[in-house]
Amino acid sequence: MQRLDHVFILTGAGISAESGLGTFRDVGGIWAAFDPMTLATPEAFARDPDTVQAFYDARRRNLLAAEPNPAHHALARLEAGLAARGGRLTLVTQNIDDLHERAGHREVLHMHGALLEARCVACEAVTEVRSDLSTADACGACGRTGVLRPNVVWFGEIPFHLDEIEERLMAADLFVAIGTSGAVYPAAGLVGAARRAGIATREINLEPSDTAHLFDAADYGRASETVPRWVEDVLGPDAPSQERSAPPHRTRSSTET
Ligand code: APR
């Protein structure tokens, strides 16, 4: 197996599916039950904030009752294992859950934001939120009410950390997409950018994604089985297998650079 100094991983909803969090485009997925245009756009929030907040409140309650699965823990082991060898793992997720962090991952770039964060539309302050969010809540920074929204990226908005993502990808030896359908850009375009830069690519998913033809290699199956197996292949059998304790909650999702 080629020596890996810098692995770049992009995760999607499929890595959290076995933790009980819904995916979007599978049969029975979130967008089969809800219309994203009425719940996940700035226009929807302006038109009917209470309905949008209630949608994210339900997902936040579901998240707080969920646990990381073996795939999340395996990626945290990979981050530690690569670092122990002087290598590096860049983890970019489209997911707004904190299961990577709770599995012990030290740095996660949330390009679509974080469900456990609220952002003030008046002063842009980002605060942690672990309960229902109401338009009556006051911003902890500026004190205004009616200004707090989930700190998530809605359709029509620009994802976070795009410059850093591009820079990290160009420095990687391997690009791996895990649990994503490859349906939403700019995340879906990363595999093409990797190929153009001559970077090896691998897809790990339940089934071939929309961009499966762009990957050099693939493992198909449930992430809780395929990801630990792949990580052991990368790190070798002598790698530490214990699950790491979760670091203090810290998610790099807001507009901080
Ligand atoms: N193990 C591995 N892969 C799985 C599993 C599993 N247990 N269950 C489902 N999958 C795969 C599906 O086959 C699918 O290809 O995960 C993928 C999930 O695809 P989507 O539901 O489209 O989710 P994602 O790719 O993360 O969506 C991207 O779209 O609506 C936006 O903001 C939202 O971040 C989301 C973005």
Side-chain angles (χ1 to χ4, degrees), residues 12-14 17-18 23-26 31 94-95 112 155 179-182 184 205-207 221-223:
E18 291 165 85
T23 60
F24 294 95
R25 295 170 185 82
D26 288 323
W31 297 146
Q94 300 172 88
N95 301 338
H112 290 170
F155 289 101
T180 181
S181 62
V184 174
N205 206 47
L206 188 64
E207 58 197 6
R222 292 152 50 99

Side-chain angles (χ1 to χ4, degrees), residues 125-216:
V126 173
T127 49
E128 189 179 17
V129 60
R130 303 181 75 84
S131 58
D132 288 359
L133 196 54
S134 156
T135 44
D137 294 334
C139 168
C142 69
R144 295 181 182 85
T145 57
V147 290
L148 294 181
R149 58 168 279 184
N151 191 32
V152 300
V153 178
W154 284 326
F155 289 101
E157 295 185 321
I158 298 172
F160 297 139
H161 308 301
L162 292 182
D163 291 343
E164 185 171 0
I165 288 169
E166 167 78 13
E167 185 184 323
R168 299 272 198 109
L169 178 62
M170 290 303 109
D173 310 302
L174 175 64
F175 170 79
V176 183
I178 302 176
T180 181
S181 62
V184 174
Y185 287 79
L190 293 178
V191 60
R195 286 177 64 85
R196 288 188 295 276
I199 297 166
T201 57
R202 187 178 202 94
E203 172 169 81
I204 301 177
N205 206 47
L206 188 64
E207 58 197 6
S209 72
D210 296 352
T211 51
H213 60 288
L214 296 176
F215 288 88
D216 304 319

Side-chain angles (χ1 to χ4, degrees), residues 1-230:
M1 172 169 286
Q2 90 179 91
R3 173 171 169 72
L4 294 172
D5 290 322
H6 184 171
V7 178
F8 183 111
I9 293 180
L10 170 71
T11 60
I15 200 170
S16 298
E18 291 165 85
S19 295
L21 303 189
T23 60
F24 294 95
R25 295 170 185 82
D26 288 323
V27 173
I30 293 171
W31 297 146
F34 300 97
D35 175 3
M37 294 304 114
T38 65
L39 292 166
T41 66
E43 295 77 14
F45 185 64
R47 187 171 53 245
D48 186 356
D50 292 341
T51 298
V52 172
Q53 298 284 25
F55 171 66
Y56 286 96
D57 288 347
R59 292 179 63 193
R60 191 175 303 111
R61 289 195 293 271
N62 191 26
L63 171 56
L64 293 171
E67 291 295 334
N69 67 55
H72 298 104
H73 288 293
L75 292 189
R77 285 199 304 277
L78 179 62
E79 181 188 51
L82 287 174
R85 301 173 177 175
R88 183 179 192 187
L89 171 57
T90 290
L91 177 61
V92 175
T93 187
Q94 300 172 88
N95 301 338
I96 58 177
D97 64 58
D98 67 334
L99 297 182
H100 285 302
E101 290 87 343
R102 279 199 262 155
H105 219 96
R106 294 284 186 266
E107 183 193 35
V108 184
L109 290 173
H110 283 265
M111 65 186 298
H112 290 170
L115 189 53
L116 300 185
E117 290 182 351
R119 188 167 84 242
C120 175
V121 298
C123 73
E124 290 299 311
V126 173
T127 49
E128 189 179 17
V129 60
R130 303 181 75 84
S131 58
D132 288 359
L133 196 54
S134 156
T135 44
D137 294 334
C139 168
C142 69
R144 295 181 182 85
T145 57
V147 290
L148 294 181
R149 58 168 279 184
N151 191 32
V152 300
V153 178
W154 284 326
F155 289 101
E157 295 185 321
I158 298 172
F160 297 139
H161 308 301
L162 292 182
D163 291 343
E164 185 171 0
I165 288 169
E166 167 78 13
E167 185 184 323
R168 299 272 198 109
L169 178 62
M170 290 303 109
D173 310 302
L174 175 64
F175 170 79
V176 183
I178 302 176
T180 181
S181 62
V184 174
Y185 287 79
L190 293 178
V191 60
R195 286 177 64 85
R196 288 188 295 276
I199 297 166
T201 57
R202 187 178 202 94
E203 172 169 81
I204 301 177
N205 206 47
L206 188 64
E207 58 197 6
S209 72
D210 296 352
T211 51
H213 60 288
L214 296 176
F215 288 88
D216 304 319
D219 304 300
Y220 294 122
R222 292 152 50 99
S224 62
E225 295 159 10
T226 53
V227 177
R229 189 162 57 233
W230 172 70

